[in-house]
Amino acid sequence: MAEIHLESVTKRFGDVAAVQDIDLVVQDGEFVVLLGPTGAGKTTTLRLIAGLEKPTEGRVLIGGHDAAPRSPAERDVAFVFQQYSLYPHLSVYDNLAFPLRAPVRRQSREDIHKAVERVARMLRIDHKLENRATRLSGGEMQRVAIGRALVRQPSVYLMDEPLSSLDAKLRSELRLELQHIQRDLGATMLYVTHDQIEAMTMATRIGVLDHGRLVQIGTPREIYESPRNTYVATRLGMPAINLLPAGAFAGAAMPPGTTLIGARTEHIVVDRGQGGGPRARVEWIEHLGDQNHLHLVMGDHRLVTLVGADTNLSVGDELQVSLRRPLFFAADGERIAA
Amino acid sequence: MSDFNSIADRAAAATPPAIARKVRGLSDRAIAWLFIAPTIVLLLAINIFPLIWTVYLSFTNYASNRPNRPVVNVGLKWYQDILGSPEIWASMQATAHFVFWTILLQTVIGFGLAYLIDRKFRGHAFWTTVILIPMMLSPAVVGNFWKFLYQPQIGLFNYIVSFFTGIPPSSFEMLGSVTLAPWAIIIVDTWMWTPYVMLICLAGLRSIPDYIHEAAEVDRASRWRQFWSITLPMALPFIMLAVLFRGIENFKMFDMVMLLTGGGPGSTTELASIALKRQAFEAYRTGYSSAFAIILFVVVFGLANVYVKALNKVKQR
C-alpha cells in the first residue's frame, strides 16, 4: 500500500480545464471519497493518478515517487471503471484471473484459482464463473469489475462510481462489503461518487469537487457540519439544506455580513406555539415510512424538513418556525462562523 | 412457402387498417402478396429457374451451339468424367493454391495495415485513402496494367526485383514461367484486395472501446499480451468475415486472371472458373460444364456453410 500526493495538478482538454490546481494527499490506508456532480473532474482525477491521462501541470506521486515516468502498468494501481469494461470475449473466471496472469506476477495456477474463488465468493458471483462476461446482468457485471480490482493487491485502489448501476439493496450491501475489505486490507482507496450516502458512510475523508477545483476536504462530519460554502452545504444532507435570505428571520441573532441562512432539518424547530417568530403553512407531507418530509411555505419561501412518522400535522396547519444554530453564509456564498 | 406466408402476414399486420379499407374487395393479405410478387417473380426468373435448369442440363448431352440435336439423358456420366479428369483436378488445385495464398497474404498484410492505421497518427485519413486506391480500380484495368508491369524487358516489377536482388530483369518472366505464374496472379490479387481486408479489420479494431485497452493496461498486460488476448480475439469475427468474403470472391476469380495469363502458361493458372468457361463457351459442352458448375456450387456452398457456422460460434462468445 502507498499514499498518493497530487501537487497542484491541472489537466486541460483544449480550452476546458477538467481539473484545476488540485492539491490532495491520500494517506496510506485511507479511504478518500471524491464527491461532485457530473463534470466536476472526479473521473479525470482518477485517470491522472492511474496514468491514463498526463497532467498538463503539476505532479502525481505514488508512494513518494514521481509517477510521471511510469506507465499505468508500472504504477501498480487497480481501477474500477464506471462502464465495467469487462473483456467481453472472456468468461467471468478469465476476467477475474486476467490481472493475475500478468507475466510480471508469476503466480501459480493454484494461487490464481484460489484468489479468483475467494473474490467471487465475497462478491457472490461464484456461481457465474463459467458465464461469458456479456451474459450477466448489470449488477453482476459491476461486481465482476470490482472483483477484478480486488483480486490483486495493488498499492492503490481507484474506483469510479462502482456502485452506481446497482439496485438499492445490493448497493448498501456492497457498500458495507467494500468498507470491510478496505479495512481488512489496509488499502489506500480513492473512490469517486455523486452519491452523498456513499460518501458519508464510507469515507475517512471526503473531497468535494466543483468544476475541477477541490473546494473542501475533510472528514464527513466536518464537511457536513462546517461546509466552506453553500456549494458544499448543498452536496450533503437529506432533504437538502434550505437556503433562505437573512431577511426571512429578521429577528434572529446572526453574525454581521450574513445574507443567506442555511437551515438543515436539525436546525429547524416547528411547533404550534403562538410566539413572535415567522410562521409557515404545511403545504405537503411526504410519507417515507419511518419519517415524513414536511414541505412548508413561509411567506415567499419554501422549506423542507423532517418530522417523525407519528406526526399529527396535516396539510394547511399553521406553524411557528424557529432556528437552532443554523449555518450563515456571506453574499459570495462563503460560510461565516457563528 | 410458409416463410413467404409469414412475411405476408407480418406485412399485413404492420399495415394500418385505414389504407387497407380503401382498396375494396382485396384482403390485407392479398395486397401484401401483390407488393412482394414482383420481387419473387424476378428472383424465380433469374436465380431459381437457371439453377434448376442447370441441374437438369447436367444430366443431358445438350450443346448450346447445336440446339437442334436431340437431347439425350446421359445420367451421371458427366459427373463421373469430371471427378476422374486430371485436368479438372489440376484446375481445382490451382484454385485452391490461389485461394489459400491470397487469403493468407491479404489477411496478414491487411490486418497489419489496419493495426498501423488505427493508431491515428497525423494524416492517417489521407493514407487510408491512398491504400484504398487499388480496390477502386476495375479488375480489367488491373489485369492489363500488371501485364505491363510484369513485362520482362520494360516492366517495372522485374526492374524492382532486379534492383533489390541483382537478378537481371530480363532473365525471368513472371507470367511466362510455369513456377512463377501462379505467384504472379497471387501478387496482383493481394495488391488489389488487401485494402478491402484492411477496411474490414479496421472496422473490427475500431469496434473495441478504448476503455477495454485502458483496463488491460491498468491490469498490467504488456502490449504483446494486449494484442494476443484482447485485440486479436475481439477483432476475430471481423477478420473471419473478411476471409469469407475474399474466399468466395476468389473461388470464382475469372476476369483479372483471364486478362493476365489467360490460364497459361500451359494450364498452370487455369483456375476452375477459367476451365469452366473453356468447356462451356469454347468447347460448347453445355451438359458437361453444367455438371462442373454444380460441383463447384456444392463445394463453395458446403465450405461456406461450415465456415459460417464457425463464424457464428466465434461471434456468440
Side-chain angles (χ1 to χ4, degrees):
Chain A
M1 291 300 142
E3 80 273 3
I4 307 168
H5 286 253
L6 298 185
E7 293 180 353
S8 26
V9 170
T10 296
K11 175 66 185 177
R12 286 192 204 91
F13 297 103
D15 292 339
V16 185
V19 166
Q20 288 186 66
D21 200 24
I22 284 189
D23 283 292
L24 173 68
V25 180
V26 182
Q27 300 292 349
D28 192 3
E30 202 179 16
F31 195 139
V32 171
V33 173
L34 292 180
L35 183 68
T38 311
K42 311 184 298 284
T43 299
T44 307
T45 308
L46 287 194
R47 291 173 62 85
L48 285 164
I49 296 166
L52 297 170
E53 306 285 354
K54 285 191 170 44
T56 317
E57 285 159 34
R59 287 206 305 168
V60 177
L61 294 96
I62 299 173
H65 302 285
D66 190 351
R70 291 192 281 161
S71 69
E74 291 163 340
R75 292 185 186 198
D76 193 25
V77 297
F79 202 121
V80 179
F81 292 84
Q82 196 179 0
Q83 330 83 330
Y84 321 136
S85 63
L86 304 182
Y87 308 122
H89 57 295
L90 298 179
S91 67
V92 170
Y93 185 95
D94 288 332
N95 262 284
L96 291 173
F98 191 92
L100 299 179
R101 288 189 178 138
V104 280
R105 297 183 71 87
R106 269 199 213 90
Q107 294 215 25
S108 74
R109 197 176 281 269
E110 294 81 64
D111 285 351
I112 291 175
H113 187 74
K114 260 186 243 160
V116 170
E117 291 273 323
R118 182 180 60 84
V119 167
R121 251 197 316 279
M122 191 157 74
L123 296 167
R124 269 159 287 158
I125 40 177
D126 42 344
H127 58 296
K128 298 272 185 179
L129 283 175
E130 299 312 314
N131 284 36
R132 291 276 163 208
T134 43
R135 301 248 173 110
L136 299 174
S137 69
E140 285 163 347
M141 283 190 196
Q142 199 143 26
R143 276 181 283 164
V144 177
I146 295 170
R148 207 171 53 187
L150 295 180
V151 81
R152 289 166 51 188
Q153 256 97 59
S155 52
V156 174
Y157 289 96
L158 304 170
M159 300 202 175
D160 190 359
E161 309 212 13
L163 306 182
S164 59
S165 69
L166 302 178
D167 63 74
K169 183 168 174 288
L170 193 58
R171 189 157 54 209
S172 59
E173 281 173 19
L174 272 180
R175 212 161 59 207
L176 274 175
E177 201 69 66
L178 276 178
Q179 290 174 75
H180 285 307
I181 292 163
Q182 190 267 341
R183 203 167 310 147
D184 295 349
L185 298 176
T188 309
M189 184 128 33
L190 191 56
Y191 185 107
V192 154
T193 186
H194 61 254
D195 183 317
Q196 52 165 310
I197 297 175
E198 279 175 27
M200 287 299 283
T201 54
M202 299 168 91
T204 326
R205 285 191 300 155
I206 297 175
V208 182
L209 287 174
D210 179 25
H211 290 97
R213 291 186 184 280
L214 187 62
V215 184
Q216 188 175 2
I217 182 156
T219 63
R221 198 154 195 89
E222 281 166 14
I223 300 282
Y224 184 81
E225 290 180 354
S226 331
R228 172 172 289 173
N229 56 26
T230 52
Y231 176 82
V232 176
T234 50
R235 290 294 113 203
L236 294 174
M238 282 279 276
I241 190 166
N242 298 289
L243 291 173
L244 300 163
F249 291 93
M254 53 187 83
T258 300
T259 51
L260 275 178
I261 295 175
R264 294 194 196 279
T265 179
E266 63 269 26
H267 302 143
I268 299 172
V269 182
V270 291
D271 56 62
R272 294 176 188 275
Q274 298 293 325
R279 304 192 62 77
R281 187 170 48 79
V282 177
E283 188 195 34
W284 192 247
I285 300 173
E286 273 183 304
H287 301 281
L288 299 179
D290 55 339
Q291 48 186 270
N292 292 332
H293 274 181
L294 194 62
H295 295 253
L296 301 173
V297 178
M298 194 177 85
D300 295 338
H301 310 294
R302 282 164 190 282
L303 282 173
V304 185
T305 185
L306 286 177
V307 286
D310 54 351
T311 177
N312 53 6
L313 292 173
S314 54
V315 174
D317 287 359
E318 291 281 331
L319 297 171
Q320 173 180 279
V321 180
S322 55
L323 297 178
R324 196 169 54 197
R325 305 179 57 210
L327 304 171
F328 303 104
F329 299 98
D332 58 359
E334 296 293 307
R335 191 170 65 87
I336 308 168
Chain B
M1 276 301 162
S2 71
D3 265 4
F4 289 128
N5 272 330
S6 79
I7 291 167
D9 280 342
R10 255 183 289 157
T15 310
I19 294 169
R21 249 180 272 123
K22 279 183 189 161
V23 189
R24 303 246 165 224
L26 281 176
S27 70
D28 285 357
R29 185 130 190 208
I31 292 168
W33 270 106
L34 216 60
F35 276 114
I36 55 175
T39 312
I40 292 173
V41 169
L42 218 61
L43 202 68
L44 285 172
I46 64 175
N47 267 349
I48 312 291
F49 170 72
L51 183 66
I52 295 167
W53 195 245
T54 308
V55 174
Y56 159 70
L57 287 178
S58 72
F59 297 114
T60 69
N61 71 338
Y62 179 73
S64 53
N65 62 340
R66 296 177 64 190
N68 297 326
R69 191 176 65 174
V71 174
V72 179
N73 191 333
V74 296
L76 290 170
K77 182 179 185 310
W78 300 138
Y79 289 91
Q80 283 164 348
D81 282 4
I82 288 162
L83 295 175
S85 154
E87 290 91 53
I88 295 292
W89 279 110
S91 74
M92 293 292 251
Q93 215 164 16
T95 305
H97 180 268
F98 177 71
V99 170
F100 175 80
W101 285 105
T102 49
I103 286 182
L104 184 74
L105 290 172
Q106 287 170 24
T107 309
V108 170
I109 301 171
F111 186 79
L113 283 174
Y115 195 69
L116 292 177
I117 290 278
D118 191 38
R119 310 251 135 154
K120 299 199 182 92
F121 52 90
R122 247 176 88 94
H124 71 101
F126 171 75
W127 287 109
T128 311
T129 317
V130 169
I131 291 171
L132 291 184
I133 288 174
M135 196 179 94
M136 301 173 189
L137 301 174
S138 135
V141 171
V142 171
N144 279 319
F145 177 64
W146 274 86
K147 220 169 174 171
F148 286 111
L149 290 176
Y150 278 145
Q151 224 283 336
Q153 270 82 41
I154 57 160
L156 197 60
F157 184 85
N158 284 34
Y159 275 91
I160 289 171
V161 171
S162 150
F163 183 81
F164 284 108
T165 62
I167 301 165
S170 49
S171 67
F172 63 99
E173 276 186 78
M174 286 304 286
L175 298 175
S177 146
V178 175
T179 46
L180 293 178
W183 294 102
I185 57 173
I186 288 168
I187 289 170
V188 178
D189 193 76
T190 303
W191 175 82
M192 184 170 177
W193 289 109
T194 298
Y196 179 77
V197 177
M198 182 202 80
L199 214 56
I200 296 177
C201 289
L202 194 59
L205 291 175
R206 294 264 160 89
S207 76
I208 306 173
D210 284 345
Y211 57 73
I212 295 277
H213 289 299
E214 288 177 346
E217 218 172 312
V218 172
D219 281 344
R220 313 215 278 179
S222 59
R223 286 228 167 271
W224 184 249
R225 183 159 177 253
Q226 269 189 52
F227 177 81
W228 285 106
S229 56
I230 307 287
T231 312
L232 198 59
M234 285 187 73
L236 191 61
F238 289 82
I239 299 171
M240 286 180 76
L241 210 59
V243 167
L244 178 70
F245 291 156
R246 288 314 302 147
I248 291 174
E249 235 4 61
N250 275 1
F251 209 89
K252 56 181 199 191
M253 165 54 67
F254 179 80
D255 39 14
M256 189 197 79
V257 173
M258 192 67 195
L259 279 160
L260 267 176
T261 67
S267 58
T268 39
T269 58
E270 192 171 294
L271 306 179
S273 59
I274 295 176
L276 179 62
K277 183 255 178 186
R278 294 239 153 101
Q279 293 295 336
F281 301 110
E282 285 171 27
Y284 286 102
R285 300 171 72 189
T286 309
Y288 181 89
S289 55
S290 295
F292 191 14
I294 294 297
I295 289 171
L296 285 180
F297 170 73
V298 169
V299 170
V300 175
F301 194 73
L303 287 178
N305 240 319
V306 172
Y307 189 85
V308 168
K309 282 221 172 80
L311 179 65
N312 282 337
K313 220 173 195 172
V314 169
K315 274 208 283 196
Q316 267 168 18
R317 291 189 317 188

